[in-house]
C-alpha cells in the first residue's frame, strides 16, 4: 500500500489514503474481527509516504443504517474469489463506489495482487461512467517471492516458508507458457503439482484465464493471467501473474 501512495505522490497534487476494514465484504465466518489493525502505526506510515489526507471512518459513518443499496458487477463477481466468498465483491464495489463519491479522486491506485478486485472495480467505473482513472500497479513481493499481504501476519514460521509455493507455482506456469506450451490444462497440472508438494496446503483454485473477462482459456496465445488461491491452516492466500 505504501508503494501505491508513493506512486500517487509522484503524479498528483493531493494524495488521499483511506483505511477502512469494510464489514460488507466479509462473510459471516470470515476474519473481520481478527483482521490486522494498527491505526497509529498506519497513520505514521501514511505520513511518511507523503499522504495529505487520511480518511479513517468508523463502520457506522459509512453505513449509518443497515445497508440496503449495493453495487453489483455481474459476470466477474461470482467466479473464482466470488464463488468461494459469496457477496464479497458486492461489498467491495459498494464501498469503493462510496469512497469515490466521498473523495471524488481523479485517479485511484490499486495493487495487482487482488487481480479480480481490480477487474471488478474497473468494470464498475466503466459501467457507471465514473470520472476516475483506475491505475493498477504490480504486486509487491518479499525477497522470496511471497506477495505482500496483511494476512501473511497470520502465518507461523513453518507456514510462512510453505507459502512461497504460490509464487513457485505461478513462476512455473509462466515458464511453461513462455516455453511454447499452449494447453491451459498442462499449465494448471504443473501449478497444482507444485502446490501439492507442500503438506497442509489446500487448493481452492488454480486457473488460467483471460485477464479481462477472467473466463478460463481453452488455448493460450494472447494475454493470460494465472491465478491461485490456497488455504494454509486457517489462512487463505491468493496470488497471480
Amino acid at each position: 500500500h505504501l508503494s501505491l501512495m508513493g506512486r500517487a505522490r509522484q503524479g498528483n497534487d493531493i494524495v488521499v489514503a483511506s483505511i477502512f476494514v469494510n464489514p460488507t465484504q466479509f462473510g459471516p465466518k470470515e476474519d473481520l474481527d481478527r483482521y490486522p489493525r494498527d491505526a497509529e502505526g498506519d497513520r505514521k506510515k501514511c505520513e511518511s509516504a507523503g499522504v495529505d489526507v487520511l480518511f479513517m471512518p468508523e463502520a457506522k459513518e459509512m453505513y449509518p443504517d443497515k445497508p440496503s443499496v449495493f453495487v453489483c458487477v455481474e459476470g466477474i463477481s461470482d467466479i473464482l474469489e466470488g464463488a468461494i466468498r459469496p457477496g464479497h465483491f458486492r461489498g467491495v464495489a459498494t464501498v469503493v463506489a462510496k469512497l469515490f463519491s466521498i473523495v471524488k479522486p481523479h485517479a485511484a491506485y490499486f495493487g495487482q495482487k487482488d487481480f479480480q478486485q481490480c477487474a471488478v472495480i474497473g468494470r464498475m467505473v466503466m459501467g457507471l461512467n465514473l470520472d476516475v482513472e483506475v491505475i493498477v500497479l504490480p504486486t509487491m513481493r518479499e525477497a522470496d517471492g511471497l506477495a505482500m499481504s496483511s494476512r501473511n501476519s497470520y502465518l507461523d514460521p513453518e507456514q510462512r516458508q510453505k507459502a512461497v509455493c504460490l509464487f513457485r507455482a505461478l513462476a512455473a506456469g509462466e515458464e511453461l507458457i513462455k516455453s511454447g506450451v499452449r494447453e491451459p490444462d498442462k499449465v494448471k497440472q504443473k501449478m497444482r503439482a507444485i502446490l501439492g508438494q507442500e503438506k497442509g496446503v489446500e487448493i481452492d483454485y488454480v486457473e488460467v484465464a483471460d485477464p479481462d473477462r477472467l473466463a478460463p482459456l481453452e488455448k493460450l496465445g494472447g494475454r493470460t493471467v494465472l491465478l491461485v488461491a490456497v488455504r494454509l491452516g486457517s489462512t487463505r492466500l491468493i496470488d497471480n501473474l
Side-chain angles (χ1 to χ4, degrees), residues 25-170:
Q25 70 190 63
F26 285 79
K29 296 182 179 180
E30 292 185 338
D31 57 345
L32 174 62
D33 292 336
R34 71 184 187 113
Y35 192 82
R37 294 167 172 85
D38 179 15
E40 190 54 37
D42 289 343
R43 190 190 308 273
K44 291 177 180 177
K45 289 172 185 174
C46 289
E47 187 175 2
S48 71
V51 169
D52 297 293
V53 179
L54 180 56
F55 181 48
M56 297 179 66
E58 297 290 334
K60 62 185 178 183
E61 294 179 78
M62 293 298 284
Y63 303 105
D65 303 305
K66 183 178 179 180
S68 60
V69 178
F70 295 94
V71 177
C72 297
V73 181
E74 297 186 356
I76 58 172
S77 291
D78 55 358
I79 57 177
L80 299 170
E81 287 299 291
I84 291 167
R85 306 178 67 186
H88 170 68
F89 287 118
R90 184 182 76 161
V92 168
T94 299
V95 80
V96 173
K98 287 168 73 72
L99 175 65
F100 287 170
S101 180
I102 292 165
V103 178
K104 295 180 172 59
H106 297 92
Y109 296 77
F110 295 88
Q112 184 186 299
K113 186 186 81 72
D114 296 295
F115 192 93
Q116 189 172 3
Q117 173 177 280
C118 293
V120 168
I121 292 169
R123 189 79 61 90
M124 177 190 75
V125 166
M126 286 193 297
L128 297 180
N129 300 106
L130 301 182
D131 189 18
V132 58
E133 180 185 8
V134 175
I135 298 170
V136 179
L137 298 179
T139 301
M140 298 297 292
R141 299 184 178 278
E142 305 288 357
D144 58 6
L146 179 66
M148 292 183 178
S149 169
S150 299
R151 290 187 170 95
N152 291 349
S153 63
Y154 297 159
L155 302 171
D156 64 32
E158 183 181 359
Q159 291 171 333
R160 171 61 184 81
Q161 284 189 315
K162 291 182 176 182
V164 185
C165 69
L166 278 83
F167 183 67
R168 288 206 310 269
L170 290 166

